[in-house]
Structures are given as structure tokens and as C-alpha cells.
């Protein structure tokens, strides 16, 4: 069973669990972030918190950006298989991207109503074609998403010298084990400081 929940990335000089936006959430959410949920910090106050449940939404992302005065993003993780990421900057720049698109494509395709053998349908030519069409739609979004994400990183002071092609490759990649790793890879490829052991 993988992780399902939210990855919260923003700039903060203190642990993210102490950010005001956590104050409106149940106590256990802040406790989780303050405990094992905070990843190793990055230089300049850039932090990632991993929080279970579905407490976060895009309105809270706006609150986070307003509080931090810096770009931020949320990664909505499904069973460690896929991460749906949304980002926002103080200027209002918004973007979204799906990490691990091959698995996401299969998850977003529904077999025809009344299908008895769902696995068999996905293995059929019709099922494979349906998944391929959804994957092609994800692929078509990658070039624009890569430019948007890189411009967002630029507003945070990073990304100079990063090639759009490198970001595109990362967005098309698959995780070795956990999709959460792709979230860290995205932040890395954008030129944010590397995570450091506290």
C-alpha cells in the first residue's frame, strides 16, 4: 500500500507545520508534518512536508503563497503511483502537471459500462488504444507545462540555465519505486537547492 496525501512545497524559515495555514487543519495534520512528515530542508528556507489525507486544496495553496510571499506548489499523491501537482506564484502564475503519466493514463480510462473482465479489457486492443489516447493527451501538455514550471521557478530565483528539454524529460519519466520521488526530482531539475540532512 503506497502513500496517498499531499506534498507541500514552499519557502519558510521555520518548519512548515508552524505555518499559519496548518492552523486551520486538524491537530493530527500538523503533528504529522512536524513529526516524520517534513523532508530534509533545502538552502534558502525551501521545505517540503508530506501529509496524509485530503485536507489541502488550491485555496490553501493561495493562502500559502500569500503567507510565504514566494512561489509554492502542492503535489496530490495517489497510492505512491501518481502525483498531480499544482503551482502558484505571488504574481498569479499558475500551472499544473501530472507526474508518472503512463500510470495516470491508465487510471483515468474507464472500461465500457457492463465490462465483466476489467483486466482483460485493458489488455485488449480497445483498452490499450484508450490508454494510449489518454497518454498522448498528457504528452501533448508536456512542452507547455515545462515552460510554465520553469517560469514559476524563475520567479523564485531558480531555473537560470535549465533547458526546457531537461524539464520535459523529467515530466515524462517514471519512478523507480515511489511517485513521491518524482516530486523531489521536479524540484531538483528546476534548480532549487539540493535537500540537505539537518
Amino acid at each position: 500500500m503506497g502513500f496517498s496525501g499531499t506534498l507541500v512545497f514552499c519557502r519558510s524559515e521555520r518548519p512548515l507545520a508552524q505555518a499559519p495555514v496548518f492552523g486551520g487543519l486538524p491537530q493530527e495534520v500538523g503533528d504529522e508534518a512536524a513529526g516524520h512528515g517534513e523532508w530534509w530542508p533545502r538552502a534558502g528556507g525551501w521545505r517540503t512536508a508530506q501529509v496524509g489525507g485530503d485536507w489541502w486544496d488550491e485555496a490553501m495553496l493561495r493562502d500559502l503563497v500569500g503567507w510565504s510571499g514566494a512561489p509554492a506548489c502542492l503535489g496530490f499523491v495517489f497510492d505512491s503511483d501518481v502525483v498531480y501537482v499544482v503551482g502558484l506564484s505571488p504574481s498569479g502564475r499558475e500551472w499544473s502537471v501530472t507526474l508518472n503519466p503512463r500510470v495516470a493514463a491508465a487510471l483515468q480510462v474507464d472500461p465500457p459500462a457492463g465490462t465483466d473482465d476489467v483486466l482483460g479489457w485493458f489488455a485488449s486492443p480497445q483498452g490499450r488504444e484508450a490508454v494510449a489516447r489518454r497518454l498522448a493527451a498528457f504528452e501533448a501538455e508536456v512542452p507547455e507545462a515545462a515552460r510554465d514550471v520553469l517560469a514559476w521557478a524563475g520567479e523564485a530565483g531558480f531555473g537560470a540555465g535549465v533547458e526546457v528539454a531537461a524539464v520535459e524529460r523529467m515530466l515524462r519519466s517514471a519512478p523507480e519505486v515511489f511517485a513521491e520521488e518524482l516530486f523531489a526530482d521536479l524540484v531538483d531539475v528546476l534548480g532549487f537547492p539540493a535537500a540537505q540532512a539537518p
Side-chain angles (χ1 to χ4, degrees):
M1 191 72 175
F3 169 75
S4 291
T6 307
L7 301 172
V8 182
F9 178 76
C10 79
R11 189 178 65 197
S12 173
E13 294 305 320
R14 54 189 176 176
L16 284 180
Q18 298 175 20
V21 70
F22 275 87
L25 298 174
Q27 179 68 42
E28 64 267 21
V29 177
D31 291 346
E32 180 181 0
H36 65 277
E38 184 129 359
W39 292 6
W40 288 357
R42 297 168 182 262
W46 293 96
R47 298 175 180 271
T48 304
Q50 178 174 319
V51 184
D54 58 357
W55 305 105
W56 293 83
D57 57 27
E58 294 186 33
M60 295 177 75
L61 176 59
R62 288 192 294 274
D63 291 343
L64 196 62
V65 169
W67 169 75
S68 68
C73 65
L74 302 176
F76 302 104
V77 184
F78 176 74
D79 202 22
S80 289
D81 288 331
V82 177
V83 186
Y84 302 100
V85 189
V86 294
L88 180 66
S89 68
S91 73
R93 181 182 300 277
E94 299 177 79
W95 55 270
S96 63
V97 70
T98 301
L99 304 181
N100 202 9
R102 290 188 179 279
V103 171
L107 290 173
Q108 292 188 5
V109 170
D110 293 320
T115 301
D116 292 326
D117 182 5
V118 172
L119 293 178
W121 181 83
F122 274 104
S124 72
Q126 295 85 359
R128 290 195 304 271
E129 182 181 341
V131 172
R133 281 196 307 270
R134 187 65 191 101
L135 179 57
F138 278 130
E139 289 285 336
E141 296 169 358
V142 166
E144 182 177 356
R147 291 191 297 271
D148 288 344
V149 172
L150 198 49
W152 170 85
E155 290 194 41
F158 303 103
V162 176
E163 294 183 358
V164 174
V167 181
E168 289 185 19
R169 283 193 299 274
M170 186 274 127
L171 295 179
R172 290 186 173 103
S173 64
E176 290 188 17
V177 182
F178 302 111
E180 299 94 298
E181 296 170 359
L182 293 177
F183 187 86
D185 291 346
L186 176 61
V187 174
D188 288 340
V189 79
L190 294 172
F192 283 85
Q196 300 174 335

